[in-house]
Amino acid sequence: MAASAPGRARRGWRRARAAGSPLSPAAVVLLLSASAVLAPPSVGDLLRLPRGFRYTQDSAKIVGSPGFPVKVYVLLHRKSPHVLCVTQQLRNSELVDPSFQWHGPKGKIVSENSTTQITSTGSLVFQNFEESMSGVYTCFLQYKPTVEAVVRNLPLKYVIYAYREPHSYYQFTARYHAAPCNSIYNISFEKKLLQILSKLVLDLSCEVSLLKSECHRVKMQRAGLQNELFFTFSG
């Protein structure tokens, strides 16, 4: 009698674990070591930043949020994006007599110095971002929505971090027995596998990302057709 889809997926999971799959920490380290690829400068886009951080380029503009600090990641020794002293809603609104005041880890930020600039519209821009400049930055916005309205005050907080370009990255593959290729159980297994791999490398300050996931029917040696999942990860 043919096994059900859930049973086949669970059996594939057990087989993978029993065979010394990448779910074993030692096997993960072995796979990473065996498949390390030196990354030339052109593959900098393969960098995966920690969850919750926002990758930005020089031309980007970051808006604030009244409910929580916005996290910004800036490439070390480069110009930062424009960190705006408005929310997305206010950015598209008319503000009467707006004023902006920025405070950083070392106190109030003046509008003119060698490393930091505050534009006429209140945007904060770093010219040459250093690691020591990382920290919490708060903009205090004062404005009136109309000429007759009372003045409103809005603090907007940002947490700004520096990061370096990676010198290397890793790719590794994994293969598992699977349920039929159109089964939802394969999607659930894929998510669970990625969660486990991410936990294994959490202390290494890096992140595992799924580059490719494919399901194929494979004729096994001395056996019939099997559904197989093929994964390619980077880290």
Side-chain angles (χ1 to χ4, degrees), residues 64-193:
S65 171
F68 57 88
V70 173
K71 297 178 183 179
V72 184
Y73 220 53
V74 182
L75 184 60
L76 198 61
H77 304 307
R78 297 290 183 87
K79 182 179 179 181
S80 75
H82 286 235
V83 183
L84 308 187
C85 189
V86 289
T87 62
Q88 185 61 50
Q89 180 180 2
L90 292 178
R91 187 183 183 188
N92 300 319
S93 303
E94 186 176 80
L95 306 181
V96 178
D97 296 330
S99 65
F100 316 92
Q101 187 175 108
W102 280 93
H103 288 257
K106 298 181 181 179
K108 183 178 178 180
I109 302 174
V110 296
S111 59
E112 295 290 340
N113 61 53
S114 58
T115 59
T116 308
Q117 174 190 1
I118 299 177
T119 68
S120 59
T121 55
S123 298
L124 179 66
V125 184
F126 298 97
Q127 300 300 324
N128 182 25
F129 199 78
E130 300 286 346
E131 186 175 355
S132 60
M133 299 162 69
S134 298
V136 177
Y137 289 80
T138 305
C139 180
F140 297 92
L141 169 64
Q142 281 191 344
Y143 71 98
K144 293 193 294 185
T146 63
V147 175
E148 294 82 12
V150 298
V151 174
R152 296 184 181 180
N153 296 277
L154 178 64
L156 297 172
K157 186 174 293 186
Y158 300 83
V159 185
I160 304 179
Y161 300 87
Y163 76 94
R164 300 176 186 272
E165 289 184 334
H167 297 295
S168 61
Y169 71 99
Y170 305 91
Q171 286 189 5
F172 60 97
T173 59
R175 173 178 170 177
Y176 297 91
H177 296 315
C181 288
N182 60 351
S183 172
I184 62 172
Y185 297 104
N186 292 334
I187 299 176
S188 177
F189 176 77
E190 175 183 312
K191 292 180 179 179
K192 185 65 176 180
L193 177 61

Side-chain angles (χ1 to χ4, degrees), residues 17-18 26 38 43 54-55 64 70 103 125 139 142 144 202 225:
R17 291 183 65 89
L38 290 180
V43 299
R54 185 178 302 180
Y55 176 79
V70 173
H103 288 257
V125 184
C139 180
Q142 281 191 344
K144 293 193 294 185
L202 186 62
L225 291 172

